[in-house]
Amino acid sequence: MNSASHLRSGVCLIGLLSVMSCAGGPSPVENGSEQSPAYQAEIRRTAFGAPHVKAGDYAGLGFGIGYASAEDNLCELLERMITVNGERARYLGPGVKDANIISDIYHKRLIQTGELETLLTGPENDPDTPSQASRDIGRGYAAGVSRYIRDRAGSELNDPRCKGAPWIREMTETDYWRHVFAGQVLYQPAGVAAAAPPDGPGSQSAALDDPLVETLGLGSNAYGLGREVTRSGRGVLLANPHYPWDGQNRFYRMHMTIPGELNVVGAGLVTNATIGIGHTESIAWTHTVSTARRFGYFELTLDPADPTRHLVDGKSVAMTKMTVTVDVKDASPVERTLYTTEFGPVVETETLPWTKSRAYAISYVPQGVRSPDQYLAIWKSRSVRELRDALGRYQATGFNTTAADAQGEAFFGDMGMIPNVSEELAQKCSASELARKQWAEARIPVLDGSRSECRWTNDADSTAPGVFGSSRTPQLFRSDYVSQSNDSHWLTNPEQPLEGYSPIFGDEQTQRSLRTRLALHQIEDREEGRDGLPGKGFDLRTLQSVIFQNRHLGAEMVRDDLVSLCRSQGGADLARACEALSKWDLRVDADSRGAHLFHLFAEAGGLQFSAPFSVTSPVATPKTLNREDPRVLSALRSALKKLDELEISPEARLGDVQVETRNGERIPIHGGAGPEGVFNVITVESLEPKLGWTSIRHGSSWIMAVEFTPDGPVSEGVLAYSQSTDPTSANYSDQTRLYASKGWDDLRFSEAAIEAGLVSRTVVSEGPEDCAAEGWKRFGRARFAGESECRLVLAKEAPRARP
């Protein structure tokens, strides 16, 4: 359960760095000097390559995080740079179904709008304008990534995915802010790229509809546990996001410290300079994918004389025209003309066509570049009450937030920017059958753009035009618990349902998922001490045991009836399936036999219930296998047939047929499918004959458990897919093996804990001295005319970097 026992302490790594410090002497970070460098940070690594970055200011902190991140995931960072700069097709080719071209058109448009530059030069103290601290972190992060590239990315870059690639270059501060501005989730990029007036130049086939985020299977679990259900009377938190195991939405473990100013540990998305899920001395928080729609559409009534003009209150208004050109590797450039309205860009998809009379514009919430300051405010909160105020001040979280504090209070809130569309506004302003259907079935507003009365509305406490004020968003404080598993806000705590909100936030009084129901059952069982664990209530160890018990609620509800039905009506051809399921331990542990058979059965539609959902018993219904439904045995036959075709036994161990393959090593992975009622979600892919599923698409990723005690927070975690994406790294699969063994690693929040687990210590810095000996020529993120200009610029940055 604890950290690896082979830790080595006091190791000093010497590299081509300006300043180095080894264990045994004071760090320059603590001592300072008369001529302080522009950036300086100490990077201490503990088990599994976890970086603990300490600096004297925010710029140094960003520098250290950037340097450490580049050491572990340089290819991911640089690929993100070419994405947000609209250069994927230029370096990587058009991509499957022109995916890179579509991405580049989308991002080139963002750049050409000039919106980023407007935000960066906005008035001070405006929530849309980055603070000096967030600017310093971003500036330092770009400098840290760049420093690593200059120091190591030549002969010492080993990652085969980008070694020698022409797109390896230093990161600029602008690159960083373009990344923040673009965001991690794109809505309708293909629809934006494909939109063209009917029968006009550039008209083409409509793009496929982009799926909503939740249909991709992404999600999370979160427990915020208050004093009534914890053993200490203080807060306990579980973070369990179910995010991709590959790509830009991977998490990265890190610890950020400015002595006397900041101490926060946890994880952030791999290309970010912030900890998005973590804890401080006083609070712990996490996020889950929200059901709230953070976008909407406006239906445009077009001018009969010109399909690039639309009517507003009877007046014809011209769309804004923009030409975007994308370079394509080994091919001619692609040029597209895009059209934008006051609502946002025009989109064209199969569902939202651009005809001679109608078109559709997509509106995004105006989150801009608030995210870094949102997290700075979270880190400085001392209670969940202050956390709530921080969320309300910026409204810049794209997710639900669940938190617990040292005083034993728990909190849930979906307090990001949500289009201010009430049921009444949607009913009044859904002008077409398509619009009414989108609202009724998907809760997506498609409002009449021809009437000014149909704009998104404002509240007194809205922090941006057209969004709900924070006081009108779903939120809940409890002294027992809050729980979130990607259903709406409604049943966050069954004792206090959240009701009366606009449907745009999520549905209410409707059936909950099996995973949500299991999450609530697990809390209730722990409260009553009926889950097989010692005692009652939560602490760090019982919380960890609960998630890794690997219960399967769907199977608990129907397995016995299914076996009975199978034996009485299944016939000889299903005998092996009946036997395998009867022996199954109803878990999704690596040693569980028969779990994979049930998974294929559920996937084939066999999980059918006879007792329907009841709003008066939402945690217990629906229930009971529908023995009369022919789909039940049909699905079991389908599952067994598929296993036979694959030459996989229905009684195989789950860990033998559900693995993550790393450098040829098959690592057995426990966990299972969320829709079936598994809390510890693992979503598999690449089903191969005799081998089973050989890769994990997404699921449990950054798993963190935090308990507040009289002596401060105690926290452990595991990054299921490991810290580095570089297959040559020692930290490419070590935490994956830790996850496979149900292990946890101490997050080492205190200085003493870091030093006790020290594996390496590196001090990195950059300053005017790096300009000497023609060093000025080596800077890629900033071009200098000579040594004197280089020294002048870096000397000016040094005072700015101080708190």
Side-chain angles (χ1 to χ4, degrees):
M1 293 285 290
N2 292 320
S3 305
S5 60
H6 61 275
L7 297 181
R8 295 171 292 120
S9 64
V11 179
C12 178
L13 300 184
I14 303 296
L16 301 176
L17 307 174
S18 298
V19 181
M20 301 301 308
S21 173
C22 302
S27 163
V29 171
E30 296 165 338
N31 278 2
S33 61
E34 287 187 10
Q35 291 185 330
S36 296
Y39 309 101
Q40 182 166 293
E42 180 181 58
I43 304 170
R44 291 172 289 178
R45 300 261 187 181
T46 55
F48 308 104
H52 305 259
V53 177
K54 180 166 65 173
D57 49 59
Y58 286 104
L61 196 61
F63 186 74
I65 291 295
Y67 195 95
S69 297
E71 286 184 299
D72 295 322
N73 295 293
L74 183 64
C75 293
E76 295 292 338
L77 270 58
L78 298 187
E79 185 174 343
R80 178 64 174 164
M81 279 173 49
I82 63 173
T83 296
V84 299
N85 281 287
E87 298 175 326
R88 294 188 64 85
R90 173 185 176 187
Y91 291 112
L92 305 178
V96 178
K97 296 183 179 180
D98 289 339
N100 289 337
I101 294 175
I102 291 169
S103 173
D104 288 351
I105 292 171
Y106 185 94
H107 288 95
K108 288 276 191 181
R109 176 195 165 274
L110 283 182
I111 293 170
Q112 289 180 207
T113 64
E115 291 178 44
L116 174 59
E117 288 73 16
T118 299
L119 292 170
L120 293 178
T121 56
E124 290 188 17
N125 301 318
D126 188 304
D128 281 320
T129 306
S131 68
Q132 189 61 55
S134 67
R135 290 177 190 271
D136 286 345
I137 289 177
R139 178 168 54 85
Y141 183 81
V145 172
S146 299
R147 180 75 200 212
Y148 177 79
I149 291 172
R150 290 201 304 281
D151 289 343
R152 305 288 181 86
S155 60
E156 296 185 44
L157 177 60
N158 296 316
D159 193 333
R161 296 174 305 154
C162 64
K163 183 175 184 177
W167 40 276
I168 296 177
R169 67 166 176 82
E170 294 187 23
M171 179 182 287
T172 68
E173 190 175 352
T174 300
D175 292 326
Y176 169 82
W177 285 111
R178 281 181 181 165
H179 155 71
V180 173
F181 183 63
Q184 300 289 133
V185 178
L186 305 182
Y187 296 105
Q188 296 285 15
V192 171
D199 304 328
S203 181
Q204 54 195 301
S205 299
L208 295 175
D209 291 299
D210 293 330
L212 292 172
V213 174
E214 57 264 35
T215 66
L216 300 177
L218 303 183
S220 308
N221 297 315
Y223 283 162
L225 304 168
R227 64 181 74 92
E228 292 183 27
V229 299
T230 64
R231 292 181 173 181
S232 67
R234 292 173 170 82
V236 172
L237 180 118
L238 172 70
N240 179 215
H242 307 147
Y243 254 47
W245 280 36
D246 296 291
Q248 70 174 27
N249 284 316
R250 280 173 54 108
F251 285 96
Y252 181 71
R253 281 182 63 178
M254 49 186 159
H255 187 176
M256 305 169 73
T257 305
I258 299 176
E261 168 82 8
L262 178 71
N263 189 4
V264 57
V265 67
L269 293 177
V270 68
T271 53
N272 287 3
T274 56
I275 291 173
I277 294 176
H279 76 87
T280 64
E281 185 74 27
S282 306
I283 65 162
W285 79 96
T286 185
H287 297 304
T288 55
V289 173
S290 165
T291 59
R293 306 304 186 211
R294 284 168 162 79
F295 67 101
Y297 299 97
F298 282 89
E299 188 169 20
L300 309 176
T301 300
L302 301 182
D303 186 329
D306 185 348
T308 66
R309 300 180 69 90
H310 63 103
L311 302 179
V312 178
D313 296 332
K315 296 181 179 179
S316 180
V317 178
M319 299 176 184
T320 301
K321 195 174 178 181
M322 176 190 294
T323 299
V324 171
T325 302
V326 170
D327 292 328
V328 183
K329 183 180 180 181
D330 300 326
S332 299
V334 172
E335 184 177 283
R336 294 279 170 82
T337 300
L338 308 178
Y339 293 85
T340 300
T341 70
E342 62 174 291
F343 311 109
V346 178
V347 298
E348 184 173 14
T349 71
E350 292 176 333
T351 299
L352 305 171
W354 190 342
T355 68
K356 293 182 179 180
S357 60
R358 286 283 185 274
Y360 298 87
I362 187 168
S363 272
Y364 308 112
V365 294
Q367 186 171 304
V369 290
R370 296 182 179 197
S371 180
D373 279 306
Q374 176 71 89
Y375 284 103
L376 279 168
I378 289 174
W379 301 342
K380 294 186 177 183
S381 300
R382 295 165 296 180
S383 68
V384 293
R385 299 278 171 170
E386 290 188 7
L387 169 65
R388 184 259 169 239
D389 292 342
L391 294 172
R393 186 158 63 252
Y394 289 100
Q395 293 190 271
T397 51
F399 317 94
N400 298 306
T401 300
T402 298
D405 64 25
Q407 292 76 43
E409 189 165 31
F411 167 78
F412 161 83
D414 191 358
M415 295 179 62
M417 291 189 186
I418 313 300
N420 198 334
V421 179
S422 65
E423 175 68 25
E424 293 75 20
L425 182 64
Q427 292 294 340
K428 180 177 73 173
C429 290
S430 295
S432 65
E433 183 60 33
L434 182 150
R436 289 187 286 273
K437 183 177 180 180
Q438 287 289 309
W439 181 250
E441 297 182 2
R443 299 180 294 101
I444 298 174
V446 183
L447 305 186
D448 187 351
S450 70
R451 292 185 284 159
S452 57
E453 64 178 340
C454 292
R455 306 298 187 261
W456 298 351
T457 58
N458 296 314
D459 293 329
D461 58 341
S462 299
T463 66
V467 302
F468 276 100
S470 65
S471 64
R472 295 184 62 208
T473 61
Q475 51 197 278
L476 183 63
F477 292 99
R478 296 286 298 187
S479 57
D480 52 358
Y481 70 87
V482 293
S483 173
Q484 230 295 317
S485 292
N486 305 123
D487 275 317
S488 74
H489 53 274
W490 176 54
L491 225 60
T492 296
N493 185 305
E495 297 299 315
Q496 190 179 350
L498 294 171
E499 297 179 346
Y501 294 92
S502 166
I504 202 169
F505 287 102
D507 50 14
E508 299 170 1
Q509 299 190 355
T510 58
Q511 182 175 319
R512 304 292 91 176
S513 72
L514 289 176
R515 177 160 58 91
T516 289
R517 292 166 60 187
L518 177 59
L520 295 170
H521 283 313
Q522 289 177 160
I523 295 175
E524 294 167 359
D525 290 347
R526 182 86 295 269
E527 281 186 275
E528 299 300 324
R530 58 180 180 229
D531 55 5
L533 299 174
K536 297 180 180 181
F538 285 93
D539 59 10
L540 186 74
R541 294 295 174 227
T542 55
L543 179 61
Q544 291 172 327
S545 297
V546 163
I547 183 174
F548 282 167
Q549 275 189 326
N550 283 329
R551 289 177 60 182
H552 192 303
L553 181 61
E556 291 176 11
M557 296 170 66
V558 308
R559 193 277 305 270
D560 290 348
D561 283 344
L562 178 59
V563 170
S564 172
L565 178 66
C566 178
R567 285 172 170 167
S568 63
Q569 300 182 30
D573 62 321
L574 281 181
R576 288 178 299 127
C578 306
E579 185 69 11
L581 290 175
S582 71
K583 295 178 180 178
W584 180 28
D585 62 6
L586 302 181
R587 308 283 179 174
V588 282
D589 289 329
D591 289 332
S592 297
R593 296 179 181 273
H596 61 302
L597 172 62
F598 192 90
H599 171 60
L600 291 175
F601 157 77
E603 250 192 357
L607 202 54
Q608 300 296 325
F609 298 104
S610 58
F613 167 74
S614 169
V615 73
T616 61
S617 184
V619 183
T621 58
K623 61 181 180 179
T624 311
L625 181 71
N626 188 347
R627 296 171 62 104
E628 305 303 318
D629 193 321
R631 289 174 291 182
V632 174
L633 287 182
S634 175
L636 190 56
R637 283 193 172 87
S638 174
L640 184 61
K641 179 182 178 182
K642 191 167 190 175
L643 288 178
D644 286 344
E645 291 172 350
L646 293 166
E647 299 182 61
I648 295 173
S649 167
E651 295 191 39
R653 292 174 64 255
L654 182 63
D656 290 335
V657 297
Q658 180 172 284
V659 306
E660 171 71 3
T661 308
R662 295 290 177 90
N663 289 335
E665 177 186 4
R666 288 169 52 85
I667 302 174
I669 301 297
H670 56 93
E676 298 167 24
V678 175
F679 190 73
N680 181 24
V681 171
I682 289 292
T683 303
V684 290
E685 62 183 2
S686 305
L687 182 57
E688 300 181 29
K690 299 183 181 181
L691 298 176
W693 296 276
T694 59
S695 179
I696 307 303
R697 184 161 74 249
H698 47 69
S700 288
S701 45
W702 169 236
I703 312 173
M704 180 184 73
V706 185
E707 178 187 10
F708 290 101
T709 76
D711 299 320
V714 178
S715 56
E716 294 185 356
V718 57
L719 190 61
Y721 36 64
S722 300
Q723 187 77 347
S724 177
T725 53
D726 180 354
T728 69
S729 170
N731 304 125
Y732 178 62
S733 55
D734 50 354
Q735 283 188 82
T736 311
R737 297 187 201 96
L738 182 68
Y739 171 81
S741 65
K742 296 187 177 181
W744 298 77
D745 185 38
D746 187 344
L747 300 192
R748 301 186 181 277
F749 182 70
S750 70
E751 278 290 306
I754 297 170
E755 291 297 325
L758 190 67
V759 172
S760 68
R761 183 195 311 274
T762 309
V763 175
V764 292
S765 72
E766 182 171 287
E769 67 276 9
D770 291 289
C771 302
E774 297 193 333
W776 59 274
K777 293 181 178 179
R778 293 192 287 272
F779 281 80
R781 73 177 190 279
R783 298 296 181 184
F784 300 121
E787 181 177 336
S788 60
E789 182 186 353
C790 176
R791 285 181 175 276
L792 180 63
V793 170
L794 292 182
K796 285 182 177 179
E797 288 189 347
R800 286 178 55 204
R802 299 295 166 234

